[in-house]
Amino acid sequence: GPKTGPEPPFGAGPQGEPQPYPYAGPEPIHAPKKKKSKKGLIIALIVVVILAAGGLTFYLIWNSAENRMNRAIKDGDLDDAAEIYVEKLAGEELSEKTLSLLQEALDQVYPAYESGAMDYDDAVEELQALSVFYAEGWNDRVDAVWSLFDALNLKNDGSYESAISRYKEALELDPESEDAKAGLEEATDLYRQDVLGKAEEYISGSSDYEGAASVLQSAIDFLGGDEELEQKLTEVNEAY
């Protein structure tokens, strides 16, 4: 029969044309379209919803009346904090966090006024703002600082007896007040020195031992006993 050429090798295309090995046949003209998966879209939507809900929740918490009030207290904006409290939270129990922030603010007022870092008007304004808040025991602590203000002014004016009385009132309202304890000790020492000076004036000026004894005894009665004054009284009594 007629001669035929050799069989095209495996991997050769039609008419034996070289093709990439292995040859898989010509590409289809119209490839079928792949269906898009809805699963990925659904997951993406769920993630977006969760993130949006979380962001909204965070914002609502961050922007709550209590948190805005606490931020104002922490920043020293006590008037703003008091306004938020009156408008949004009056009558509600203050949280431990709020009370802690208020106490930190209160603890700074008297030392700042005593040291001169804060003038009287600013100190009074701070206390008035702090007085707006209400909690069990809180208002007594604020009133104690009011007493400290009066005591300090009286002490600086040389009215030691009145200052001592006001420091004692502060301690009755807030027994843990270190400012009241320190102020009372200082005012008592100044009062003691003042009484001893007056007694000495009676003695050195006109040898009035009776007048000196009277001054000393009144001070001892006021203080409820004082070792140094009692010793001086004994010396005066023995001298006349």
Side-chain angles (χ1 to χ4, degrees), residues 115-229:
S115 67
M118 183 182 295
D119 64 29
Y120 182 77
D121 290 338
D122 288 340
V124 167
E125 186 177 340
E126 296 272 277
L127 277 186
Q128 287 174 336
L130 290 167
S131 298
V132 169
F133 299 90
Y134 176 79
E136 184 177 356
W138 166 252
N139 299 90
D140 284 344
R141 295 197 292 274
V142 176
D143 288 344
V145 178
W146 282 114
S147 295
L148 288 177
F149 273 42
D150 289 341
L152 179 62
N153 294 333
L154 289 164
K155 182 186 69 177
N156 291 340
D157 288 341
S159 302
Y160 302 125
E161 285 191 15
S162 297
I164 289 170
S165 296
R166 294 297 279 166
Y167 279 122
K168 287 181 176 179
E169 287 178 12
L171 278 173
E172 289 176 1
L173 291 165
D174 185 6
E176 303 301 319
S177 173
E178 295 298 327
D179 291 323
K181 293 175 183 177
L184 177 59
E185 183 177 352
E186 182 181 1
T188 300
D189 185 59
L190 291 170
Y191 176 62
R192 183 186 299 111
Q193 299 307 315
D194 184 58
V195 170
L196 289 170
K198 289 178 179 178
E200 194 60 38
E201 288 178 7
Y202 274 107
I203 296 170
S204 61
S206 56
S207 298
D208 186 356
Y209 289 91
E210 186 175 355
S214 176
V215 168
L216 290 166
Q217 187 62 61
S218 295
I220 292 169
D221 292 341
F222 173 71
L223 294 175
D226 184 88
E227 183 177 351
E228 190 172 347
L229 294 180

Side-chain angles (χ1 to χ4, degrees), residues 26-49:
E27 288 290 330
I29 297 176
H30 298 289
K33 294 183 179 180
K34 295 181 179 179
K35 294 183 178 179
K36 293 183 179 180
S37 174
K38 293 184 178 180
K39 184 177 180 181
L41 180 61
I42 293 173
I43 293 175
L45 288 174
I46 292 174
V47 170
V48 170
V49 170

Side-chain angles (χ1 to χ4, degrees), residues 52-70:
L56 178 61
T57 301
F58 173 80
Y59 174 76
L60 291 175
I61 294 173
W62 184 84
N63 201 47
S64 68
E66 181 179 1
N67 283 333
R68 286 190 289 114
M69 178 181 69
N70 287 346

